Amino acid sequence: MPRFDYVRAGSVAEALRLLAEPGLTSRPLAGGTDVLVYIRHERAPFDRLVDISRVPELKIIERRGNEVVVGGAVTYTEAAESPLLRQVAACLVEACLTVGGPAIRNMGTLGGNVVNAAACADSLPPLTCLDTMVHLRSLAGERTMALSEFIMGPNRTAIRAGELLTHFSFPVPPDGARQVFIKLGRRNAQAISRLSIAAIGRLDGQGRADYVRLSPGAAMPTPRRLTEVEAMLLGQVPTDELLIAAGVRSAEVMIAVTGRRWSTEYKEVAIQALAERVLRRVLVL
Amino acid sequence: MLIEFTLNRKRVAVEAPPDITLLTLLRDYFNLTGTKEGCSVGECGACAVIMDGRLVNSCLVLAPQAAGSEVITIEGIRGPDGGPNDMQENFITYGAVQCGICIPGMIMAGEALLMHNPNPTRAEIRTALAGNLCRCTGYQQIVDAIEATARSREGNR
């Protein structure tokens, strides 16, 4: 007797109908790289998987006016190979290229990464930096919310039963803004992030920062921008002194959120150095 | 459920439960035991196969996910005479095989790389192998063998 059934959806409408079918618990299956690991040791918390990985509407990557739209079933490889994302979302592309190895990146999806909502998920810092909105659909209608509100804690999101994350959207960052993502893992590939960080920044004609976005990963229970640090830099010339202070402030903000945990001894110095390093890369020519 | 797909360039149909992995389907339903089970959680790459032109870990693919796809396993990699192909010959020549359990996955990763990038740098070869663990060789000989294959295929183009 199989532990669960499988069905493939051809469209979002069909997926939503299948997910809402009464009498059994259905869950979406995108790349499967989290689901298949989970059900090796845990009882499957569903009766049926609805495969959404080939739904064309969930595979889009396109620019709509000043917005970029990325489908939930876009794989890390597809994101990293997208000319549009390479141009406007370099920190997201960098993050995608640090996930697992090629075989994981060929299956795993951005939607899956976000809905699984591991605190260490590599897509979260860049998506947060980009001010990403999450678009959800169910038979009851559509909902849109900020990524930082969608993720409620480690492995906890605002998604409801029968709801599908259809796509993400974010505004195109200003012209000339530079983007960086750095990840610390135990090795360079196939590693879970111990700490990661994404930054976007730009200088005006006078050499002062006129656009700054900074968001760490695996640092806090929910993703958020370090607006306290961004505010220190906006309108300022990024001197060594200021960048060092920005690193120190990043660590302070993290500790204010998490308190001193078992890993803080390491993360305090690591986030300080990483924040300073990414800000230097995006703001110092 | 009935799972129909293309396996090593042949159309196949098999009755199998929906909750098994592609790895189990290949090994236990098709007796294609060249694909190895290592970690079963996507860490080691021993189970790597090519699905629709992309390297995947067959331990992390649900068997019915392969329906309608084109799957190539190590059994589908061979020379025109049915013996080893040029990459497999180079693995032998360059001493890239010791215990051998990682090799089917290594060959699949090498072939998947050359499908997309026929002229890779050594750094690109290493990146392509990042998800395949080998505890014997230290990887150098494997990189050498794939590099030599790319060079000779480029030369023959």
Side-chain angles (χ1 to χ4, degrees):
Chain A
M1 184 65 191
R3 293 168 295 164
F4 53 83
D5 200 2
Y6 167 99
V7 61
R8 186 178 293 177
S11 66
V12 169
E14 187 186 3
L16 296 179
R17 209 167 52 242
L18 290 164
L19 288 170
E21 210 171 285
L24 78 175
T25 307
S26 296
R27 287 278 184 273
L29 172 72
T33 52
D34 284 316
V35 174
L36 268 87
V37 174
Y38 185 84
I39 59 174
R40 254 179 69 77
H41 294 296
E42 307 288 333
R43 204 186 65 82
F46 44 77
D47 308 309
R48 183 173 70 179
L49 287 172
V50 178
D51 186 349
I52 56 162
S53 64
R54 299 181 193 218
V55 174
E57 301 146 89
L58 302 176
K59 305 289 280 180
I60 51 165
I61 303 177
E62 62 187 38
R63 187 172 173 153
R64 292 181 189 161
N66 199 40
E67 250 190 8
V68 177
V69 175
V70 181
V74 167
T75 66
Y76 302 110
T77 299
E78 287 161 350
E81 289 178 352
S82 154
L84 174 63
L85 294 181
R86 289 160 87 118
Q87 192 195 338
V88 302
C91 63
L92 178 61
V93 167
E94 282 299 309
C96 288
L97 289 173
T98 71
V99 174
I104 300 288
R105 295 197 285 275
N106 287 339
M107 292 299 288
T109 65
L110 289 174
N113 200 227
V114 167
V115 173
N116 190 52
C120 57
D122 287 320
S123 69
L124 295 181
L127 289 174
T128 305
C129 263
L130 290 161
D131 290 325
T132 297
M133 302 295 288
V134 174
H135 299 259
L136 305 161
R137 238 171 93 183
S138 69
L139 289 183
E142 296 181 27
R143 295 197 296 155
T144 300
M145 64 179 85
L147 176 69
S148 50
E149 287 163 34
F150 177 69
I151 295 184
M152 300 166 72
N155 302 111
R156 264 189 332 117
T157 72
I159 203 161
R160 297 174 184 153
E163 219 168 24
L164 199 60
L165 191 166
T166 53
H167 60 283
F168 303 100
S169 65
F170 55 84
V172 174
D175 275 350
R178 287 199 281 177
Q179 308 190 13
V180 169
F181 173 84
I182 300 183
K183 160 173 169 174
L184 290 181
R186 286 193 178 155
R187 55 190 289 262
N188 285 336
Q190 298 282 89
I192 304 294
S193 282
R194 300 291 141 182
L195 200 62
S196 64
I197 195 159
I200 308 178
R202 189 177 73 166
L203 297 178
D204 66 13
Q206 279 76 51
R208 289 183 296 241
D210 71 350
Y211 188 89
V212 188
R213 294 282 187 274
L214 184 66
S215 178
M220 297 180 287
T222 55
R224 78 167 177 96
R225 280 170 42 200
L226 299 179
T227 47
E228 301 87 339
V229 179
E230 294 169 7
M232 285 172 71
L233 292 150
L234 265 183
Q236 305 294 317
V237 174
T239 58
D240 272 357
E241 205 174 22
L242 184 58
L243 292 168
I244 291 166
V248 172
R249 187 82 186 100
S250 300
E252 286 170 3
V253 174
M254 176 187 74
I255 293 166
V257 171
T258 62
R260 290 205 165 264
R261 303 173 66 234
W262 60 273
S263 57
T264 305
E265 196 176 340
Y266 166 71
K267 289 194 174 174
E268 182 176 15
V269 287
I271 195 174
Q272 194 174 318
L274 282 188
E276 185 192 326
R277 191 176 305 161
V278 289
L279 290 169
R280 198 178 289 280
R281 286 206 200 154
V282 295
L283 292 175
V284 181
L285 302 173
Chain B
M1 66 186 294
L2 187 69
I3 303 172
E4 292 179 82
F5 62 113
T6 303
L7 178 55
N8 295 329
R9 294 168 200 89
K10 280 210 301 258
R11 297 278 305 153
V12 295
V14 60
E15 192 61 46
D19 63 341
I20 62 169
T21 62
L22 176 59
L23 173 62
T24 300
L25 189 77
L26 294 171
R27 290 181 57 89
D28 296 355
Y29 289 74
F30 290 98
N31 293 322
L32 295 178
T33 53
T35 304
K36 302 304 179 196
E37 177 163 26
C39 68
S40 303
V41 290
E43 298 266 2
C44 77
C47 68
V49 300
I50 295 175
M51 187 163 96
D52 295 329
R54 298 278 194 189
L55 190 73
V56 301
N57 291 322
S58 61
C59 73
L60 293 188
V61 177
L62 217 50
Q65 277 179 289
S69 286
E70 189 169 329
V71 175
I72 302 173
T73 69
I74 189 65
E75 289 86 354
I77 303 292
R78 58 177 114 93
D81 62 353
N85 79 351
D86 52 346
M87 187 178 292
Q88 291 163 322
E89 287 289 358
N90 278 328
F91 268 63
I92 300 167
T93 307
Y94 285 82
V97 182
Q98 288 187 33
C99 92
I101 193 166
C102 73
I103 298 301
M106 289 289 180
I107 298 274
M108 300 317 290
E111 292 290 358
L113 169 67
L114 298 191
M115 285 166 74
H116 294 274
N117 180 0
N119 194 14
T121 63
R122 280 185 79 83
E124 286 168 339
I125 296 173
R126 300 185 75 93
T127 301
L129 299 179
N132 295 75
L133 300 188
C134 171
R135 297 294 79 165
C136 305
T137 63
Y139 302 100
Q140 297 302 329
Q141 303 90 325
I142 294 171
V143 176
D144 292 344
I146 294 171
E147 189 179 31
T149 308
R151 298 293 165 266
S152 69
R153 285 186 193 176
E154 275 292 281
N156 293 336
R157 212 168 282 269

